[in-house]
Amino acid sequence: MDRRSFVEKTLLGAGLVMGAPSLISASPAKRKSGRLTILHTNDTHSNIDPFPENHAKYPGLGGVARRYDLIQKIRSEEEHVLLLDSGDMFQGTPYFNRFGGELEMKVMSAMKYDMGTIGNHDFDGTMEGFVKAARYADFPFVCSNYEFTNTPMEESTRPYQIIERAGMKIGIFGLGVELAGLVPKKLYRETVYLDPVEMTQEVVGILRKKGVDMIICLSHLGYSYQSDKISDLRLAELTEGIDLILGGHTHTFLEKATPVQNKAGKITLVNQAGWAGIRLGRLDFDLEKKMFHASEGILVR
Amino acid sequence: MSARIYLIYLFIGAGLTACSFDIYQRGTPSYVDIRERTSTGNRIDTLVAPYQGELAEEMSRVIGKAEVDFVKQRPWGNLGNLVADAMLEHGRTLVSNNSIPVVCVLNHGGLRASLTKGEITVGDVFKLLPFDNELVLVQLPEEATKELFEWLKAGGGHPISGLKISGKEMKLSSGESLEQGVWVVTSDYLMNGGDHADFFQKGTNRISSNKMMRDVFLEYVEHVKVLKDNQDQRIVW
């Protein structure tokens, strides 16, 4: 498949409106490679337990046990599932303060996350703390724009990773938010923050040469800002080649993924799934029609 | 355990030209109830249980007693007084040069919960001070203390210790003036410009405690054991 054109093909079904996919509601039977289901979280912030039932805003929502159940259910119905996280797994409950993030890593591994990226709060337990916790992670972390040379996290991330799923080669890379002014210098130390737009074009170029069919960016830049600070929406506009940006940082609840016209005039989809594990983001990619045909936020309850 | 999944179906399907993003067709939102957990006694429960148990044990540990309810109030309140006093007490031990007075300034928003009369647990302190903010000291020259005063006023009052505001004047609680400048015990959040506390940028010297404010407060409560009411009216406009 010509990767460059798959989103374009996605959009060529002019006037076609697909019928409602049954998704997880109808048949528990595993379907035949009809689609790739992309599940994602961001800013789970050490929310191991659900919010209490008397919580003002999110009563009874979230919790890793329910998220695990939900993911298991979807896995029992879908053949091809990709599970990704966009950073800030750490900080927010005493589970992190006391156990340094190892439980977060263990539960994500049990859920069989395929990949994650680094959020600003993932530095909160020091870089050594991240490395220690990440020993319990069975999945890799991607980050293209933090140069970790000469820091304890030098070996903790890779710029990108190619995953084969549903007969497709999927290139996944990560982008972190600017650290200066946000994270104390003593936590990120000698980490060099590189320009997300430049790094995107570089990585997209590499991934294309490697013949990937789809490019996904795990971003912790934030959905959008009033200022011209780089965000997922701006990144989508200023670059070409990304099919899907799964974002974080701004704790944005989107009712649907946002299509953005990228630099090449194609569509880059941007999605984010709130925070705290309240929602599990889901996007289904139709393997035959080569189109994303559904996106939703599932409340984990 | 019952679970409900809220689904919104969205479809990309309509034709698209370069400048048209009308590609979503919204389906009818539907609700799907999952009445029971699909796998009982799952791996996650087994994984989380020991951590949950340990945490519950730690969070429920009683470290002291409050004689009254400590509440968050503006321009001053007994909770703000209590926390600022505790931070000041620890901050004072970190200053070697005692020729300059030491005071404490926190932010109202940094205190996240009240303390209820009766036993105080570790969990109560986590609710009060959930953020991992470090206790720091910043030396401010006299002119910056004027901005500090304006900041306190603009914010409607914040927790302070070692200072007294009456009307248009801010002095040390001893009644002395601020002409020689002060060491301010505060959070790294404020020192770095949080809550628009820009005057900290005029600091001439800084000391890190390498200690989280929550830990300072936990130790304080464990040390004093009984938290007495403190109705010192530190800010009177």
Side-chain angles (χ1 to χ4, degrees), chain A residues 37-73:
Chain A
T37 299
I38 300 170
L39 303 177
H40 65 105
T41 50
N42 53 276
D43 303 277
T44 48
H45 283 299
S46 306
N47 281 273
I48 302 295
D49 299 321
F51 282 97
E53 291 296 339
N54 61 358
H55 193 270
K57 247 178 144 174
Y58 307 116
L61 294 180
V64 292
R66 291 160 184 183
R67 187 176 358 142
Y68 177 88
D69 280 356
L70 186 53
I71 290 166
Q72 290 297 93
K73 185 164 167 54

Side-chain angles (χ1 to χ4, degrees), chain A residues 91-105:
Chain A
Q91 187 74 275
T93 71
Y95 281 103
F96 176 68
N97 304 119
R98 278 299 167 258
F99 308 115
E102 66 174 58
L103 181 57
E104 290 82 333
M105 296 292 185

